[in-house]
Amino acid sequence: MFNKYILFLFLFVSTQIISQENLTDSLKNYWLQQVEINSKRLNLGEANNRISKDNLENVLGTNGFSLIRKGVFFAQDVYADGLKKGDINVVIDGERYHSACPNRMDSPLTRVNPLDLESVSLNKTSSNIQSGLGGVVKFNRSSISEIMKIQAAISTLAGAQNGFDLATSADYSNHRISLRYANGSPYVDGDKNSFSDSYGFKENYNFKLVEASVRGQLNSISYGFSAAYTENVSFPYLQMDERFNRVYSAYLRYDDHKIYFNYTNHVMDNDLRINTMLMKTTAKNLTIGAIGNFYEVIFRNWDANNFFHNAMMHIDNDLIPNVNSYNANLFKSIDLEKIRLYGKIGFSYQMIGDKSREEFYKKYFEEVNLSRFFPTFSLGLSHLYAINNSFGIGGMIEVNSESPETESLFISVQKPMGKPSWTGNSNLKQPFKGTLRGSITYENVNLEMFGSKVWNYNNLARQTVMQMPFLTYTNVDALLLGSNLNVNYKFIVVDASYIWAKNSTNNSPLAEMPPLKISTKIISPEYYGFVTYLKHLYNNAQIRVDDLLNETKSGAWNKLDIGLMYNFNGIEISLDVENLLNANYYQHLSFMRDPFAAGNKVYEPGRIFRITFKTNQIL
């Protein structure tokens, strides 16, 4: 009753994100230039965070955003205001990165090279040309220096996890070379259970990451290319693990016009685990794009194959049957003193390259479409008004529509031993979302709420055909209400968020919704170069679950972190202790309903000690 009362009392209130997390978190750290972390208000529902020395969870874990761990490392996915995965685009300087893995082991957030970054823009609206149904996360690369500049950082882990992360970059004459190497072991939880103890792994396999990139600039022309490699990343949430992932990318920019490509080769299997049947998936994704101030054109080719094999049987799956996607968008924004009007119009066309896969879909649907065309658009109006220097209000109304995800349309998995098959639904309608937002800001207090109605929300469903169960996607109507509170007063930062979501078609809770979350951080003033912090994170129980999808309830938990940092003449040394009290807990959203979900409740790391050394020197 209390949460519903709060929702009713502050209906449709929204504000900017404030982020002043300012201490390092190794292995997940963003080693950037030494600057203060702050937020610049851009437009309603949008904020730009200049980040320097904080981890991905803190940067993307405020104001309704949640970062969901899927594996040991390099495997986070982002949720915002009840929408998730492909609903929220992740771009780096305008470059779109698509997952090759249907389970999103290689989620777009893994493409972020921390040494190249300067800021991240969080936008939960459709007010950007690259916004998805639920917004966009835009990482922005830092400028390259003309003079010689060296950055270096090394982090080590001890306690519940062992590992290290080494990164370095060098700037000279408008060029930059960046290198990174990370290695570590799977963590143990608060009860000291390892992955081999709890999740059926043969042993606790070390993971590895290697990255290299080169960037340059000549007058109005800039260019760059990069390569990254990961191996043996354990995914206890799923039935398979990432054996290797290779990513290659390049771009060329002239003035405000940019062309780019990225290519991913991904392999996952269950050979790291005790098994009686080998499962393996190979997936490849190619994205080619062009982006300017008012236009975007994208081509994507996605192909994935899977098999199940043992001495008694063999099943081949054309998991993603060589799908080609074509997208184009035009965008216009009219910015007045207090009012902003914006709109986008475009299309998405998706077609299967392997026509033989039609026979699989016909087992479950009378009508099968091997190609789909969707018009896409957004239209919004926002108004901001400052009553005085301390008090401001604002409001926004917008509508937008995007195409269904490729997986929802065309994924196809025949499973062994009578387990339900998984099939896309090529007859899906595209989702249409209407949102009301508003804002109240008073000095250091920001309160946000929103209400969204999504028609034709693409939802997972269990169905039967000829008395055979299978999983597919259907259209339902969904209602999402949310509230976010940010308080930033002197040395205290508080962030609280809550989402209430309903499947209006079935009159049931909408699946995969985060519970109430409250983060409180106390940061000391700097004293002789030393800064300390104490952070408490509370996650409430989630009792609103979708029983039809076997979603289970989760309990409440608390976590306490503490840290110390010393800064002297461009050299930073920090010590962080995460999960100080060694709590044993798991996140509600760790129970993922992917095609190969293990159904495990995966516990988070126990007490971890991190020591980080960083330097940023101009020569």
Side-chain angles (χ1 to χ4, degrees):
M1 284 298 296
F2 177 75
N3 289 328
K4 291 185 178 179
Y5 175 75
I6 293 294
L7 287 170
F8 177 78
L9 183 62
F10 299 108
L11 186 61
F12 304 138
V13 179
S14 174
T15 189
Q16 67 194 50
I17 298 175
I18 288 182
S19 176
Q20 287 196 351
E21 308 287 353
N22 61 355
L23 293 176
T24 54
D25 187 339
S26 61
L27 282 188
K28 298 181 291 184
N29 190 57
Y30 279 22
W31 295 303
L32 306 176
Q33 298 173 350
Q34 182 185 346
V35 294
E36 290 186 1
I37 301 171
N38 55 75
S39 295
K40 177 183 178 182
R41 180 63 173 272
L42 302 176
N43 294 287
L44 191 63
E46 180 180 357
N48 188 48
N49 294 341
R50 186 176 176 85
I51 56 177
S52 65
K53 41 191 180 294
D54 216 335
N55 64 46
L56 197 61
E57 182 178 359
N58 289 335
V59 172
L60 292 177
T62 60
N63 205 63
F65 280 84
S66 297
L67 195 63
I68 306 306
R69 184 201 306 269
K70 281 189 168 185
V72 177
F73 190 31
F74 327 118
Q76 297 89 351
D77 221 339
V78 64
Y79 285 49
D81 284 356
L83 297 174
K84 52 190 178 292
K85 299 196 298 185
D87 295 330
I88 303 163
N89 294 326
V90 178
V91 300
I92 304 174
D93 272 358
E95 302 167 33
R96 292 195 188 230
Y97 284 82
H98 297 101
S99 296
C101 175
N103 297 94
R104 295 176 68 86
M105 289 180 174
D106 59 330
S107 65
L109 293 182
T110 65
R111 314 303 193 200
V112 179
N113 186 335
L115 288 176
D116 279 341
L117 295 181
E118 181 178 45
S119 63
V120 57
S121 175
L122 307 177
N123 191 334
K124 298 187 290 184
T125 75
S126 61
S127 61
N128 186 279
I129 188 173
Q130 296 186 299
S131 292
L133 193 70
V136 61
V137 175
K138 298 174 61 180
F139 289 95
N140 306 300
R141 294 186 176 105
S142 60
S143 300
I144 304 173
S145 176
E146 294 183 2
I147 61 178
M148 186 70 175
K149 184 175 70 172
I150 301 293
Q151 292 187 88
I154 183 168
S155 295
T156 59
L157 289 182
Q161 187 174 14
N162 296 314
F164 72 93
D165 196 339
L166 173 65
T168 184
S169 71
D171 286 25
Y172 182 69
S173 186
N174 291 318
H175 284 78
R176 174 180 296 171
I177 298 176
S178 300
L179 302 171
R180 186 183 183 192
Y181 177 81
N183 184 286
S185 63
Y187 59 82
V188 298
D189 61 28
D191 286 343
K192 298 184 179 181
N193 294 313
S194 69
F195 282 17
S196 60
D197 295 328
S198 301
Y199 311 118
F201 285 83
K202 297 175 184 176
E203 57 182 272
N204 299 309
Y205 296 91
N206 283 3
F207 57 83
K208 181 189 297 184
L209 165 71
V210 181
E211 292 181 345
S213 66
V214 177
R215 294 173 53 207
Q217 184 172 344
L218 181 62
N219 297 324
S220 297
I221 298 175
S222 60
Y223 44 86
F225 62 89
S226 65
Y229 173 79
T230 58
E231 69 176 22
N232 290 346
V233 182
S234 301
F235 281 80
Y237 302 99
L238 307 173
Q239 298 175 30
M240 291 186 278
D241 308 290
E242 181 181 278
R243 300 309 306 275
F244 73 78
N245 195 72
R246 301 187 181 112
V247 183
Y248 309 95
S249 67
Y251 70 87
L252 175 65
R253 178 193 292 273
Y254 174 73
D255 200 9
D256 292 326
H257 307 278
K258 183 178 189 178
I259 58 174
Y260 66 91
F261 89 90
N262 51 74
Y263 174 78
T264 302
N265 184 10
H266 174 86
V267 173
M268 61 179 181
D269 65 30
N270 67 337
D271 203 37
L272 301 182
R273 313 187 191 199
I274 301 170
N275 68 79
T276 58
M277 177 184 298
L278 179 64
M279 298 185 290
K280 185 174 183 178
T281 297
T282 59
K284 298 178 180 179
N285 183 90
L286 171 66
T287 300
I288 302 174
I291 179 71
N293 288 335
F294 66 91
Y295 69 90
E296 180 185 33
V297 180
I298 311 162
F299 167 76
R300 179 191 185 190
N301 176 262
W302 188 14
D303 191 30
N305 296 283
N306 161 263
F307 71 77
F308 299 87
H309 178 80
N310 63 15
M312 303 296 295
M313 51 79 66
H314 183 88
I315 297 176
D316 281 311
N317 283 307
D318 203 351
L319 190 65
I320 302 292
N322 193 25
V323 178
N324 291 319
S325 302
Y326 305 85
N327 298 269
N329 293 302
L330 297 174
F331 181 81
K332 178 65 176 178
S333 174
I334 301 174
D335 297 293
L336 304 176
E337 182 179 355
K338 297 179 181 179
I339 296 176
R340 186 185 191 206
L341 177 66
Y342 56 87
K344 179 178 73 173
I345 187 169
F347 72 87
S348 171
Y349 177 69
Q350 304 182 54
M351 61 178 295
I352 288 179
D354 185 357
K355 310 296 184 183
S356 64
R357 202 52 174 165
E358 183 178 12
E359 295 302 316
F360 175 87
Y361 304 119
K362 286 184 175 179
K363 297 177 184 178
Y364 307 102
F365 301 100
E366 293 182 2
E367 181 180 351
V368 175
N369 296 291
L370 299 185
S371 64
R372 293 294 307 274
F373 177 87
F374 301 96
T376 58
F377 69 91
S378 68
L379 182 64
L381 176 68
S382 65
H383 176 73
L384 297 174
Y385 179 68
I387 298 175
N388 53 45
N389 291 334
S390 300
F391 187 53
I393 60 174
M396 170 185 284
I397 181 171
E398 65 177 10
V399 294
N400 65 319
S401 182
E402 299 289 333
S403 66
E405 292 189 71
T406 300
E407 303 98 296
S408 303
L409 294 171
F410 299 126
I411 197 168
S412 53
V413 186
Q414 179 184 347
K415 292 188 176 181
M417 298 183 295
K419 294 182 179 179
S421 294
W422 189 297
T423 177
N425 181 358
S426 63
N427 303 305
L428 283 175
K429 299 176 182 178
Q430 67 186 99
F432 177 92
K433 179 170 70 75
T435 300
L436 290 175
R437 292 185 180 272
S439 68
I440 296 179
T441 303
Y442 182 72
E443 294 185 346
N444 299 309
V445 179
N446 303 271
L447 182 64
E448 138 176 283
M449 289 199 65
F450 72 93
S452 291
K453 176 72 173 182
V454 185
W455 293 267
N456 297 327
Y457 179 91
N458 296 162
N459 196 46
L460 191 63
R462 296 179 181 272
Q463 297 185 355
T464 59
V465 59
M466 302 293 291
Q467 298 183 342
M468 293 294 294
F470 68 99
L471 289 170
T472 189
Y473 297 88
T474 60
N475 290 120
V476 299
D477 293 339
L479 177 64
L480 300 99
L481 301 175
S483 62
N484 301 290
L485 174 67
N486 303 96
V487 180
N488 191 334
Y489 181 72
K490 292 185 177 180
F491 304 111
I492 299 177
V493 179
V494 178
D495 182 89
S497 62
Y498 176 73
I499 300 292
W500 183 92
K502 178 182 179 181
N503 180 335
S504 304
T505 300
N506 296 333
N507 195 28
S508 62
L510 199 63
E512 295 187 13
M513 291 298 122
L516 171 69
K517 179 177 69 173
I518 303 174
S519 171
T520 305
K521 190 170 187 178
I522 301 174
I523 308 168
S524 75
E526 184 174 341
Y527 188 72
Y528 289 103
F530 287 92
V531 175
T532 61
Y533 77 88
L534 179 66
K535 180 180 179 180
H536 174 260
L537 180 62
Y538 169 75
N539 262 48
N540 195 17
Q542 179 57 282
I543 60 175
R544 288 182 51 79
V545 296
D546 188 340
D547 295 326
L548 297 177
L549 292 177
N550 295 330
E551 186 180 26
T552 57
K553 300 177 181 179
S554 59
W557 52 269
N558 294 270
K559 183 166 76 78
L560 196 65
D561 304 333
I562 193 170
L564 170 69
M565 184 179 71
Y566 177 71
N567 187 349
F568 178 74
N569 288 341
I571 297 176
E572 296 178 9
I573 302 174
S574 67
L575 170 63
D576 302 274
V577 184
E578 183 177 336
N579 195 2
L580 178 66
L581 302 181
N582 203 35
N584 198 35
Y585 68 98
Y586 66 92
Q587 298 190 49
H588 175 73
L589 292 175
S590 67
F591 183 75
M592 309 297 295
R593 275 156 294 282
D594 290 305
F596 303 104
N600 295 323
K601 294 180 175 65
V602 180
Y603 286 85
E604 294 290 295
R607 185 186 301 111
I608 292 179
F609 299 89
R610 292 186 174 90
I611 299 177
T612 302
F613 172 86
K614 187 183 85 167
T615 182
N616 183 8
Q617 300 294 331
I618 297 177
L619 304 180

